[in-house]
């Protein structure tokens, strides 16, 4: 579970602002991917757009729950009950955000593998979501899973770049 520290509201608002910024950027990437898909009709481009749409939903959830947390903390008197609401917003927000982000990463991994199989897609998503859904220490396990998936994605794109570079 994420830790909560007593911090000022202006600092919390930066998290909200960045979440909104990332939401807009990932939504734009998704939008342009879908436009490119209409032009090229390549399934990989559509899946790329879908994965960034999931990332976008993830950041939207983060922004919504950040503003809910800020509004609870901003009240004049924060009682123990109000603080438990803030914790609930933080935990629920992280959980939903992690679900969307993990599905986005799993979709990106499926896109990279370039194998057309609904069973494989469902398997990758299921395997990715299991730790997020059933872990007692969700944030740490999510960040480890996130790091492994990002490493795999980066390695794949580096390999593709090096192959194209040597062909020139």
């Amino acid at each position: 579970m994420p830790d909560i520290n007593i911090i000022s509201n202006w600092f919390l608002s930066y998290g909200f602002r960045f979440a909104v910024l990332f939401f807009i950027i990932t939504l734009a990437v998704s939008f342009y991917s879908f436009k490119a898909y209409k032009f090229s009709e390549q399934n990989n481009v559509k899946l790329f757009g879908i994965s960034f749409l999931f990332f976008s939903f993830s950041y939207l959830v983060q922004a919504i729950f950040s503003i809910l947390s800020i509004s609870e903390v901003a009240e004049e008197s924060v009682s123990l009950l109000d603080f438990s609401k803030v914790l609930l917003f933080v935990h629920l927000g992280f959980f939903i955000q992690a679900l969307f982000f993990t599905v986005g990463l799993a979709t990106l991994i499926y896109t990279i593998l370039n194998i057309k199989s609904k069973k494989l897609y469902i398997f990758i998503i299921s395997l990715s979501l299991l730790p997020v859904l059933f872990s007692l220490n969700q944030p740490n396990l999510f960040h480890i899973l996130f790091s492994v998936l990002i490493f795999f994605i980066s390695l794949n794109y580096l390999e593709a770049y090096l192959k194209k570079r040597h062909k020139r």
Side-chain angles (χ1 to χ4, degrees):
M1 300 224 163
D3 294 329
I4 282 220
N5 299 316
I6 305 299
I7 55 177
S8 62
N9 288 341
W10 67 267
F11 191 76
L12 288 174
S13 69
Y14 278 110
F16 168 74
R17 290 175 187 163
F18 277 114
V20 169
L21 177 67
F22 294 149
F23 165 71
I24 292 168
I25 291 169
T26 54
L27 190 62
V29 170
S30 177
F31 174 75
Y32 284 110
S33 294
F34 287 128
K35 281 183 83 168
Y37 170 70
K38 284 183 182 179
F39 177 72
S40 69
E41 295 184 9
Q42 292 181 348
N43 197 39
N44 284 350
V45 176
K46 180 176 81 171
L47 289 172
F48 188 81
I50 290 171
S51 67
F52 270 84
L53 191 60
F54 278 114
F55 295 148
S56 179
F57 289 152
S58 165
Y59 287 118
L60 178 64
V61 167
Q62 183 183 4
I64 290 170
F65 280 92
S66 290
I67 201 72
L68 289 174
S69 298
I70 291 168
S71 68
E72 285 296 320
V73 171
E75 293 179 7
E76 290 292 325
S77 63
V78 178
S79 68
L80 190 56
L81 181 61
D82 292 334
F83 193 65
S84 67
K85 277 191 215 174
V86 172
L87 281 174
L88 176 67
F89 290 146
V90 168
H91 293 302
L92 187 61
F94 176 80
F95 180 72
I96 295 170
Q97 178 197 10
L99 288 177
F100 278 123
F101 208 87
T102 303
V103 171
L105 285 174
T107 304
L108 202 52
I109 294 287
Y110 176 74
T111 303
I112 287 171
L113 292 176
N114 205 15
I115 300 172
K116 293 181 181 179
S117 168
K118 288 183 181 180
K119 289 180 184 178
L120 179 64
Y121 180 61
I122 292 169
F123 177 73
I124 291 171
I125 287 178
S126 301
L127 200 58
S128 299
L129 286 178
L130 282 175
V132 175
L133 292 173
F134 298 110
S135 172
L136 295 176
N137 194 355
Q138 288 174 340
N140 288 340
L141 193 56
F142 169 73
H143 289 106
I144 291 169
L145 176 68
F146 169 81
S147 298
V148 169
L149 293 176
I150 290 293
F151 177 75
F152 178 77
I153 292 166
S154 301
L155 192 62
N156 183 66
Y157 282 119
L158 177 65
E159 235 176 54
Y161 169 75
L162 292 175
K163 281 181 186 176
K164 279 191 175 187
R165 185 175 157 202
H166 289 299
K167 287 183 181 180
R168 290 182 186 181

